[in-house]
Amino acid sequence: MYRKFLLSITLIMSLVFTMFSSQAVAATQDAIINTANKYLGIPYQFGGNTPNGFDCSGFIWYVFRENGVELPRTADEQFRLGQAVQKSELSKGDLVFFETYKPGPSHSGMYLGNGQFISATSSRGIAIASVNDPSYWGPRYLGARRVLQGQPEQVVLSVLPPGLYHDVSKDHWAYNEIKVLGEQKMINGFPNSMFYPENNLTRAQAAIIIGNVKGLTNETQTSNFSDVPSDFWAANAISAAVEAGYFIGFEDGTFKPDENLTREQVAVLFTRVFNIAEGEMVIPFNDLSESDWSYIAIQKLVSNGIAIGFADHTYRPKEAVNRAQFVVFLSRIMDK
């Protein structure tokens, strides 16, 4: 009798857990879809992952992050998450992938149900389309991954020592720099020892890193920026960096903490933080003139070997900097 009672209790608890687990997943699915739909019509921007403009994987990354779910930044990395799902078994919130301009997952979106998905398109911005669209998406459909119910798989990843991350292997081009600065507690990763090296670095994240490097503190955690409330996760670091004169805000009274840090902003930031001397050479770039606000700062970085240009003789000052690139720049300047 007692064993039957225990068995009954176990079955009931299992049923209750399954019911609440399913309800939680459904609630998360609906919340993520509601967030995604808010951005319909937002224009496409290569490398974009803010409401100012999105590319496909940046849109997915941002929408899930707004709902407390951290994903890698690129479509290729997102395609390796969770579990594979057959097209006939797609569920709301599943990630769908397409092979467009190159082999492999070159476009990502999120399934909404009823054969529809939402994504950042170069022609219409954030838009809804059919996964079976015979004129374009249908023939290019590559596969789908279920990441919401796959999230627990990431939780069991072992916690690695400082400087080591599951997504930064020894053959990664920035492995040494990430490892050293991680060991020194200059940079931080994400839960479960993930670093997401290809994710673009935000202004808030940069403020955190600079605060770590310079040992900045700000006890009051106050902010004069309309988009940085006192309970914002990086409010303390932003206030300290602004007080030190390393960062400034924008004319509209905002800091734009979630906006990507660009290559020219990195140059200006580093000249303020590290007082970089002028180099002996002036390096010409096709997309940079002496009248540009960041010209002197960029020349200081390039002439000192901290940053370099591209093969087409451009610097691409407006291009976003990802987390690995920022760490490498920082490592070079700290070695000077």
Side-chain angles (χ1 to χ4, degrees):
M1 175 68 80
Y2 180 69
R3 294 176 63 184
K4 288 183 178 179
F5 173 75
L6 285 180
L7 180 60
S8 298
I9 291 296
T10 301
L11 290 173
I12 291 172
M13 292 301 294
S14 176
L15 179 61
V16 170
F17 176 79
T18 301
M19 178 181 69
F20 279 105
S21 178
S22 298
Q23 289 176 345
V25 171
T28 302
Q29 289 172 333
D30 290 339
I32 289 175
I33 288 174
N34 289 338
T35 300
N37 285 330
K38 290 194 307 183
Y39 301 112
L40 282 170
I42 294 293
Y44 180 89
Q45 178 182 320
F46 181 76
N49 60 0
T50 76
N52 292 326
F54 294 105
D55 65 15
C56 62
S57 57
F59 174 62
I60 296 300
W61 173 84
Y62 183 87
V63 167
F64 274 75
R65 189 168 184 255
E66 285 289 281
N67 289 275
V69 181
E70 289 287 351
L71 298 180
R73 173 62 177 81
T74 67
D76 185 64
E77 291 174 311
Q78 292 169 359
F79 189 63
R80 288 178 264 163
L81 287 180
Q83 66 184 75
V85 181
Q86 294 296 319
K87 196 175 188 181
S88 59
E89 298 176 353
L90 282 170
S91 178
K92 292 188 301 182
D94 288 343
L95 303 186
V96 288
F97 298 87
F98 302 84
E99 194 172 70
T100 54
Y101 66 94
K102 66 177 182 178
S106 51
H107 186 83
S108 58
M110 183 178 66
Y111 190 68
L112 302 176
N114 299 319
Q116 304 291 303
F117 76 102
I118 188 169
S119 69
T121 66
S122 57
S123 58
R124 295 190 295 148
I126 306 302
I128 295 174
S130 170
V131 294
N132 299 308
D133 172 28
S135 63
Y136 191 81
W137 297 113
R140 292 170 172 79
Y141 183 81
L142 184 63
R145 308 293 295 187
R146 183 158 296 158
V147 297
L148 291 179
Q149 289 144 319
Q151 289 297 309
E153 296 177 9
Q154 299 178 44
V155 175
V156 300
L157 290 174
S158 59
V159 177
L160 300 177
L164 298 181
Y165 304 94
H166 291 290
D167 55 349
V168 182
S169 61
K170 288 185 177 180
D171 59 357
H172 189 280
W173 70 276
Y175 172 80
N176 289 330
E177 292 86 350
I178 291 173
K179 181 175 183 293
V180 170
L181 292 190
E183 290 173 339
Q184 296 174 351
K185 305 295 179 64
M186 300 298 176
I187 59 173
N188 302 304
F190 293 88
N192 308 313
S193 295
M194 300 293 285
F195 190 75
Y196 301 131
E198 307 307 319
N199 283 7
N200 291 335
L201 188 85
T202 67
R203 287 169 54 83
Q205 291 170 347
I208 290 282
I209 295 174
I210 293 302
N212 292 340
V213 171
K214 303 299 288 186
L216 301 180
T217 58
N218 187 307
E219 299 293 337
T220 60
Q221 201 167 351
T222 58
S223 168
N224 293 322
F225 301 108
S226 60
D227 56 350
V228 183
S230 59
D231 59 350
F232 183 71
W233 67 276
N236 185 290
I238 290 171
S239 296
V242 170
E243 185 177 323
Y246 300 148
F247 274 96
I248 60 174
F250 295 87
E251 293 181 356
D252 62 356
T254 63
F255 184 80
K256 296 181 172 53
D258 294 321
E259 188 170 274
N260 297 332
L261 199 70
T262 64
R263 286 170 57 83
E264 65 178 351
Q265 289 173 342
V266 169
V268 173
L269 174 64
F270 280 179
T271 55
R272 290 173 180 161
V273 175
F274 299 103
N275 194 27
I276 303 172
E278 292 188 13
E280 298 179 357
M281 299 176 58
V282 174
I283 312 298
F285 293 107
N286 296 335
D287 56 351
L288 194 67
S289 69
E290 293 184 23
S291 61
D292 291 331
W293 74 282
S294 57
Y295 177 81
I296 295 176
I298 290 173
Q299 286 296 335
K300 286 182 178 180
L301 248 63
V302 174
S303 60
N304 281 281
I306 298 162
I308 59 175
F310 296 87
D312 60 356
H313 303 293
T314 62
Y315 183 80
R316 303 177 193 175
K318 305 297 183 184
E319 187 172 287
V321 173
N322 66 35
R323 289 169 55 80
Q325 291 168 340
F326 186 84
V327 170
V328 170
F329 291 157
L330 182 61
S331 176
R332 288 172 182 167
I333 199 169
M334 292 180 69
D335 286 340
K336 293 291 183 181

PDB file of all heavy atoms in Angstrom, residues 140-160:
ATOM      1  N   ARG A 140      14.758  27.535 -50.244  1.00  0.00           N
ATOM      2  CA  ARG A 140      15.995  27.826 -49.519  1.00  0.00           C
ATOM      3  C   ARG A 140      15.953  27.365 -48.057  1.00  0.00           C
ATOM      4  O   ARG A 140      16.909  27.581 -47.310  1.00  0.00           O
ATOM      5  CB  ARG A 140      16.289  29.332 -49.574  1.00  0.00           C
ATOM      6  CG  ARG A 140      16.652  29.808 -50.982  1.00  0.00           C
ATOM      7  CD  ARG A 140      16.690  31.327 -51.069  1.00  0.00           C
ATOM      8  NE  ARG A 140      17.213  31.791 -52.349  1.00  0.00           N
ATOM      9  CZ  ARG A 140      16.520  31.831 -53.472  1.00  0.00           C
ATOM     10  NH1 ARG A 140      15.241  31.439 -53.474  1.00  0.00           N
ATOM     11  NH2 ARG A 140      17.075  32.247 -54.599  1.00  0.00           N
ATOM     12  N   TYR A 141      14.836  26.756 -47.662  1.00  0.00           N
ATOM     13  CA  TYR A 141      14.696  26.303 -46.274  1.00  0.00           C
ATOM     14  C   TYR A 141      15.772  25.263 -45.953  1.00  0.00           C
ATOM     15  O   TYR A 141      15.990  24.310 -46.697  1.00  0.00           O
ATOM     16  CB  TYR A 141      13.315  25.698 -46.055  1.00  0.00           C
ATOM     17  CG  TYR A 141      13.033  25.268 -44.638  1.00  0.00           C
ATOM     18  CD1 TYR A 141      12.633  26.183 -43.675  1.00  0.00           C
ATOM     19  CD2 TYR A 141      13.178  23.936 -44.251  1.00  0.00           C
ATOM     20  CE1 TYR A 141      12.381  25.796 -42.373  1.00  0.00           C
ATOM     21  CE2 TYR A 141      12.922  23.536 -42.950  1.00  0.00           C
ATOM     22  CZ  TYR A 141      12.526  24.468 -42.015  1.00  0.00           C
ATOM     23  OH  TYR A 141      12.273  24.074 -40.722  1.00  0.00           O
ATOM     24  N   LEU A 142      16.469  25.462 -44.820  1.00  0.00           N
ATOM     25  CA  LEU A 142      17.575  24.576 -44.455  1.00  0.00           C
ATOM     26  C   LEU A 142      17.251  23.678 -43.268  1.00  0.00           C
ATOM     27  O   LEU A 142      17.646  22.512 -43.225  1.00  0.00           O
ATOM     28  CB  LEU A 142      18.815  25.427 -44.133  1.00  0.00           C
ATOM     29  CG  LEU A 142      20.106  24.680 -43.810  1.00  0.00           C
ATOM     30  CD1 LEU A 142      20.564  23.860 -45.021  1.00  0.00           C
ATOM     31  CD2 LEU A 142      21.201  25.660 -43.402  1.00  0.00           C
ATOM     32  N   GLY A 143      16.539  24.217 -42.266  1.00  0.00           N
ATOM     33  CA  GLY A 143      16.225  23.422 -41.088  1.00  0.00           C
ATOM     34  C   GLY A 143      15.768  24.302 -39.948  1.00  0.00           C
ATOM     35  O   GLY A 143      15.644  25.521 -40.087  1.00  0.00           O
ATOM     36  N   ALA A 144      15.509  23.685 -38.799  1.00  0.00           N
ATOM     37  CA  ALA A 144      15.018  24.423 -37.630  1.00  0.00           C
ATOM     38  C   ALA A 144      15.621  23.857 -36.365  1.00  0.00           C
ATOM     39  O   ALA A 144      15.984  22.673 -36.303  1.00  0.00           O
ATOM     40  CB  ALA A 144      13.494  24.364 -37.565  1.00  0.00           C
ATOM     41  N   ARG A 145      15.713  24.708 -35.341  1.00  0.00           N
ATOM     42  CA  ARG A 145      16.225  24.286 -34.039  1.00  0.00           C
ATOM     43  C   ARG A 145      15.283  24.771 -32.949  1.00  0.00           C
ATOM     44  O   ARG A 145      14.778  25.891 -33.002  1.00  0.00           O
ATOM     45  CB  ARG A 145      17.618  24.883 -33.772  1.00  0.00           C
ATOM     46  CG  ARG A 145      18.623  24.662 -34.858  1.00  0.00           C
ATOM     47  CD  ARG A 145      19.011  23.220 -35.030  1.00  0.00           C
ATOM     48  NE  ARG A 145      19.700  22.682 -33.870  1.00  0.00           N
ATOM     49  CZ  ARG A 145      20.257  21.465 -33.851  1.00  0.00           C
ATOM     50  NH1 ARG A 145      20.177  20.684 -34.927  1.00  0.00           N
ATOM     51  NH2 ARG A 145      20.864  21.040 -32.769  1.00  0.00           N
ATOM     52  N   ARG A 146      15.036  23.928 -31.983  1.00  0.00           N
ATOM     53  CA  ARG A 146      14.196  24.292 -30.835  1.00  0.00           C
ATOM     54  C   ARG A 146      15.115  24.664 -29.682  1.00  0.00           C
ATOM     55  O   ARG A 146      15.776  23.809 -29.092  1.00  0.00           O
ATOM     56  CB  ARG A 146      13.279  23.128 -30.460  1.00  0.00           C
ATOM     57  CG  ARG A 146      12.310  23.439 -29.330  1.00  0.00           C
ATOM     58  CD  ARG A 146      11.118  22.491 -29.380  1.00  0.00           C
ATOM     59  NE  ARG A 146      10.346  22.688 -30.600  1.00  0.00           N
ATOM     60  CZ  ARG A 146       9.539  21.764 -31.122  1.00  0.00           C
ATOM     61  NH1 ARG A 146       9.406  20.588 -30.539  1.00  0.00           N
ATOM     62  NH2 ARG A 146       8.868  22.026 -32.230  1.00  0.00           N
ATOM     63  N   VAL A 147      15.168  25.951 -29.363  1.00  0.00           N
ATOM     64  CA  VAL A 147      16.109  26.429 -28.353  1.00  0.00           C
ATOM     65  C   VAL A 147      15.472  26.670 -26.996  1.00  0.00           C
ATOM     66  O   VAL A 147      16.170  26.659 -25.976  1.00  0.00           O
ATOM     67  CB  VAL A 147      16.817  27.721 -28.820  1.00  0.00           C
ATOM     68  CG1 VAL A 147      17.639  27.466 -30.054  1.00  0.00           C
ATOM     69  CG2 VAL A 147      15.830  28.841 -29.066  1.00  0.00           C
ATOM     70  N   LEU A 148      14.177  26.917 -26.945  1.00  0.00           N
ATOM     71  CA  LEU A 148      13.548  27.204 -25.653  1.00  0.00           C
ATOM     72  C   LEU A 148      13.580  25.987 -24.749  1.00  0.00           C
ATOM     73  O   LEU A 148      14.024  26.034 -23.619  1.00  0.00           O
ATOM     74  CB  LEU A 148      12.114  27.697 -25.856  1.00  0.00           C
ATOM     75  CG  LEU A 148      12.001  29.075 -26.502  1.00  0.00           C
ATOM     76  CD1 LEU A 148      10.542  29.463 -26.686  1.00  0.00           C
ATOM     77  CD2 LEU A 148      12.721  30.115 -25.662  1.00  0.00           C
ATOM     78  N   GLN A 149      13.112  24.853 -25.268  1.00  0.00           N
ATOM     79  CA  GLN A 149      13.177  23.644 -24.466  1.00  0.00           C
ATOM     80  C   GLN A 149      14.582  23.077 -24.434  1.00  0.00           C
ATOM     81  O   GLN A 149      14.889  22.221 -23.631  1.00  0.00           O
ATOM     82  CB  GLN A 149      12.183  22.605 -25.003  1.00  0.00           C
ATOM     83  CG  GLN A 149      10.747  23.011 -24.719  1.00  0.00           C
ATOM     84  CD  GLN A 149       9.808  22.607 -25.852  1.00  0.00           C
ATOM     85  OE1 GLN A 149      10.151  22.742 -27.022  1.00  0.00           O
ATOM     86  NE2 GLN A 149       8.619  22.133 -25.514  1.00  0.00           N
ATOM     87  N   GLY A 150      15.451  23.595 -25.299  1.00  0.00           N
ATOM     88  CA  GLY A 150      16.842  23.156 -25.298  1.00  0.00           C
ATOM     89  C   GLY A 150      17.698  23.926 -24.320  1.00  0.00           C
ATOM     90  O   GLY A 150      18.841  23.569 -24.100  1.00  0.00           O
ATOM     91  N   GLN A 151      17.140  25.008 -23.730  1.00  0.00           N
ATOM     92  CA  GLN A 151      17.943  25.817 -22.813  1.00  0.00           C
ATOM     93  C   GLN A 151      18.511  25.031 -21.639  1.00  0.00           C
ATOM     94  O   GLN A 151      19.652  25.243 -21.267  1.00  0.00           O
ATOM     95  CB  GLN A 151      17.116  26.993 -22.291  1.00  0.00           C
ATOM     96  CG  GLN A 151      16.836  28.056 -23.330  1.00  0.00           C
ATOM     97  CD  GLN A 151      18.112  28.699 -23.812  1.00  0.00           C
ATOM     98  OE1 GLN A 151      18.930  29.135 -23.021  1.00  0.00           O
ATOM     99  NE2 GLN A 151      18.297  28.762 -25.120  1.00  0.00           N
ATOM    100  N   PRO A 152      17.752  24.085 -21.037  1.00  0.00           N
ATOM    101  CA  PRO A 152      18.327  23.355 -19.906  1.00  0.00           C
ATOM    102  C   PRO A 152      19.621  22.633 -20.251  1.00  0.00           C
ATOM    103  O   PRO A 152      20.449  22.397 -19.396  1.00  0.00           O
ATOM    104  CB  PRO A 152      17.209  22.371 -19.529  1.00  0.00           C
ATOM    105  CG  PRO A 152      15.954  23.079 -19.936  1.00  0.00           C
ATOM    106  CD  PRO A 152      16.329  23.787 -21.207  1.00  0.00           C
ATOM    107  N   GLU A 153      19.794  22.261 -21.545  1.00  0.00           N
ATOM    108  CA  GLU A 153      21.016  21.579 -21.937  1.00  0.00           C
ATOM    109  C   GLU A 153      22.225  22.472 -21.699  1.00  0.00           C
ATOM    110  O   GLU A 153      23.314  21.997 -21.415  1.00  0.00           O
ATOM    111  CB  GLU A 153      20.939  21.170 -23.410  1.00  0.00           C
ATOM    112  CG  GLU A 153      19.851  20.150 -23.710  1.00  0.00           C
ATOM    113  CD  GLU A 153      19.778  19.838 -25.188  1.00  0.00           C
ATOM    114  OE1 GLU A 153      20.684  20.278 -25.937  1.00  0.00           O
ATOM    115  OE2 GLU A 153      18.833  19.166 -25.597  1.00  0.00           O
ATOM    116  N   GLN A 154      22.049  23.788 -21.831  1.00  0.00           N
ATOM    117  CA  GLN A 154      23.159  24.699 -21.646  1.00  0.00           C
ATOM    118  C   GLN A 154      23.488  24.885 -20.163  1.00  0.00           C
ATOM    119  O   GLN A 154      24.619  25.174 -19.822  1.00  0.00           O
ATOM    120  CB  GLN A 154      22.833  26.052 -22.274  1.00  0.00           C
ATOM    121  CG  GLN A 154      22.577  25.971 -23.774  1.00  0.00           C
ATOM    122  CD  GLN A 154      22.227  27.320 -24.327  1.00  0.00           C
ATOM    123  OE1 GLN A 154      22.848  28.319 -24.002  1.00  0.00           O
ATOM    124  NE2 GLN A 154      21.223  27.365 -25.178  1.00  0.00           N
ATOM    125  N   VAL A 155      22.493  24.689 -19.303  1.00  0.00           N
ATOM    126  CA  VAL A 155      22.696  24.913 -17.875  1.00  0.00           C
ATOM    127  C   VAL A 155      23.678  23.901 -17.296  1.00  0.00           C
ATOM    128  O   VAL A 155      24.409  24.198 -16.364  1.00  0.00           O
ATOM    129  CB  VAL A 155      21.342  24.840 -17.130  1.00  0.00           C
ATOM    130  CG1 VAL A 155      21.538  24.955 -15.629  1.00  0.00           C
ATOM    131  CG2 VAL A 155      20.422  25.942 -17.617  1.00  0.00           C
ATOM    132  N   VAL A 156      23.736  22.685 -17.865  1.00  0.00           N
ATOM    133  CA  VAL A 156      24.581  21.644 -17.301  1.00  0.00           C
ATOM    134  C   VAL A 156      26.028  21.773 -17.754  1.00  0.00           C
ATOM    135  O   VAL A 156      26.861  20.973 -17.371  1.00  0.00           O
ATOM    136  CB  VAL A 156      24.048  20.246 -17.672  1.00  0.00           C
ATOM    137  CG1 VAL A 156      22.644  20.047 -17.148  1.00  0.00           C
ATOM    138  CG2 VAL A 156      24.075  20.030 -19.184  1.00  0.00           C
ATOM    139  N   LEU A 157      26.351  22.766 -18.575  1.00  0.00           N
ATOM    140  CA  LEU A 157      27.739  22.973 -18.955  1.00  0.00           C
ATOM    141  C   LEU A 157      28.573  23.248 -17.709  1.00  0.00           C
ATOM    142  O   LEU A 157      28.157  23.958 -16.805  1.00  0.00           O
ATOM    143  CB  LEU A 157      27.862  24.150 -19.923  1.00  0.00           C
ATOM    144  CG  LEU A 157      27.305  23.945 -21.331  1.00  0.00           C
ATOM    145  CD1 LEU A 157      27.372  25.246 -22.109  1.00  0.00           C
ATOM    146  CD2 LEU A 157      28.054  22.850 -22.063  1.00  0.00           C
ATOM    147  N   SER A 158      29.759  22.657 -17.664  1.00  0.00           N
ATOM    148  CA  SER A 158      30.617  22.837 -16.495  1.00  0.00           C
ATOM    149  C   SER A 158      31.089  24.281 -16.390  1.00  0.00           C
ATOM    150  O   SER A 158      31.242  24.977 -17.392  1.00  0.00           O
ATOM    151  CB  SER A 158      31.829  21.904 -16.596  1.00  0.00           C
ATOM    152  OG  SER A 158      32.567  22.182 -17.772  1.00  0.00           O
ATOM    153  N   VAL A 159      31.316  24.728 -15.157  1.00  0.00           N
ATOM    154  CA  VAL A 159      31.861  26.062 -14.919  1.00  0.00           C
ATOM    155  C   VAL A 159      33.374  25.972 -15.056  1.00  0.00           C
ATOM    156  O   VAL A 159      34.033  25.219 -14.334  1.00  0.00           O
ATOM    157  CB  VAL A 159      31.474  26.581 -13.522  1.00  0.00           C
ATOM    158  CG1 VAL A 159      32.119  27.938 -13.273  1.00  0.00           C
ATOM    159  CG2 VAL A 159      29.959  26.675 -13.407  1.00  0.00           C
ATOM    160  N   LEU A 160      33.918  26.731 -15.984  1.00  0.00           N
ATOM    161  CA  LEU A 160      35.351  26.677 -16.266  1.00  0.00           C
ATOM    162  C   LEU A 160      36.102  27.724 -15.452  1.00  0.00           C
ATOM    163  O   LEU A 160      35.521  28.692 -14.975  1.00  0.00           O
ATOM    164  CB  LEU A 160      35.588  26.910 -17.756  1.00  0.00           C
ATOM    165  CG  LEU A 160      34.928  25.907 -18.714  1.00  0.00           C
ATOM    166  CD1 LEU A 160      35.199  26.302 -20.158  1.00  0.00           C
ATOM    167  CD2 LEU A 160      35.424  24.490 -18.446  1.00  0.00           C
TER     168      LEU A 160
END
